[in-house]
Amino acid sequence: MRAVTYRSFGEPDVLEIAEVARPVPQAHEVLVRVRAAGVNPPDWKLRRVPYPPDYVDLPLTPGWDISGVVEEAGEYVGRFKPGDEVFGMVDFPLYAGAYAEYVVARPRQFARKPDGVDHVQAAALPMPALTAWQAFEDVAEVTAGQRVLVHGAAGGVGHLAVQLAKLRGAYVIGTARAAKHAFVQGVGADEVIDYTAVDFARAVSDVDVVLDMVGKDYPARSLPVLRPGGAFIGAAGMTPEDVAAYERAGLRSGVFIVEPDHAALESIAALVAEGRLAAHVDRVFPLAEAAKAHALMEGGDFVGKLVLEV
């Protein structure tokens, strides 16, 4: 089968199309013919720097998010059968190899593809939608009337987080460049702050939950915007000093890592089928142009999601 691989770490041009062995499903796995694969920040970050550094064997195939059709089901699989259309996030944070024509995984890492959307739209959903869902359901439990600040609101996670927070009845504030404000408002944000022109820490206050997809100095700068009892969810990382500062302030904080979640995927699929949640796909690339997709994602000149069509 065809797959995108890299034999060394570095710039996007290390990505190449190769012929690799088609995976064989075990008794508890399904083999899925991939129709589309979502492109996410971890894809390019781990292409640049191996993690964990001492346990990575090259070549590797990047990617975790897919939408496709079940080709084979192992003898112990009862959830799906050949021909079922599914979408999911495979094996994260282990290396999964989603940029390929076929993928094998346990069936509980998938849900049925939402009705009314194609494979490209479905492949744009799993990792970003699960990140926002788990952050607001399991970590901070966002409720009606709360104020939620989403950093990177025009990105893959951000634009879905805005929608999910609004569905929970929250007042949502997003940070994004001025050129992306119309997009962020279009997905439901009540306010949008141009972080290049305004210090968000001076413009925002009394926030209940912060979801940070930026990292760097954003955890430290976000601390003063939270009201007592508020929570900071650092999906892009926090330093030990950041954690200590939140503890001294009596605020909840932590680094959040998304995980495969069949039940959440089913809930997300239902919202999509009902027209209440939608992933915006900015660009679609053929599998052979994965390097172009990575370069665009690293540059940031897009909104929503990038997807590879297989």
Side-chain angles (χ1 to χ4, degrees), residues 44-57:
W44 68 261
K45 291 178 180 179
L46 294 181
R47 188 208 70 234
R48 285 191 171 276
V49 179
Y51 183 84
D54 298 328
Y55 299 95
V56 177
D57 293 323

Side-chain angles (χ1 to χ4, degrees), residues 35-294:
R35 298 300 191 189
V39 181
N40 295 293
D43 303 4
W44 68 261
K45 291 178 180 179
L46 294 181
R47 188 208 70 234
R48 285 191 171 276
V49 179
Y51 183 84
D54 298 328
Y55 299 95
V56 177
D57 293 323
L58 295 171
L60 284 170
T61 292
W64 286 275
D65 281 357
I66 70 163
S67 181
V69 181
V70 174
E71 187 92 353
E72 297 178 26
E75 62 180 306
Y76 298 146
V77 174
R79 186 179 299 276
F80 300 115
K81 64 182 186 302
D84 287 343
E85 295 186 319
V86 297
F87 78 122
M89 182 181 71
V90 180
D91 287 343
F92 188 81
L94 303 177
Y95 289 91
Y99 294 13
E101 291 183 314
Y102 292 91
V103 165
V104 294
R106 290 177 179 263
R108 290 190 66 83
Q109 297 182 354
F110 297 103
R112 295 185 187 279
K113 182 176 70 66
D115 293 336
V117 299
D118 60 20
H119 287 292
V120 167
Q121 290 288 324
L125 286 162
M127 183 180 289
L130 284 174
T131 298
W133 181 277
Q134 292 170 8
F136 294 158
E137 174 76 15
D138 303 333
V139 180
E141 197 174 356
V142 170
T143 56
Q146 289 188 325
R147 289 167 59 84
V148 174
L149 173 61
V150 178
H151 289 311
V157 174
H159 85 291
L160 291 166
V162 169
Q163 295 175 65
L164 288 172
K166 289 300 295 180
L167 286 173
R168 289 174 167 268
Y171 183 91
V172 182
I173 307 158
T175 61
R177 292 180 177 273
K180 300 179 180 181
H181 280 202
F183 171 73
V184 178
Q185 290 169 332
V187 295
D190 298 286
E191 294 182 37
V192 190
I193 297 168
D194 180 2
Y195 65 90
T196 67
V198 177
D199 181 359
F200 67 81
R202 294 180 179 273
V204 184
S205 61
D206 295 324
V207 170
D208 295 284
V209 178
V210 175
L211 177 61
D212 175 35
M213 303 308 304
V214 179
K216 301 177 183 177
D217 63 347
Y218 270 51
R221 292 173 58 200
S222 297
L223 192 154
V225 311
L226 284 164
R227 61 174 44 149
F232 177 90
I233 305 170
M238 298 179 71
T239 66
E241 291 76 17
D242 293 330
V243 175
Y246 276 86
E247 289 178 351
R248 288 193 299 270
L251 295 167
R252 292 176 293 154
S253 72
V255 176
F256 166 71
I257 299 176
V258 67
E259 59 184 309
D261 187 338
H262 168 77
L265 278 176
E266 287 190 326
S267 297
I268 289 163
L271 291 175
V272 172
E274 294 165 3
R276 302 171 67 196
L277 179 70
H280 174 83
V281 178
D282 189 299
R283 292 272 304 274
V284 180
F285 296 84
L287 190 65
E289 294 183 5
K292 292 182 179 179
H294 275 220

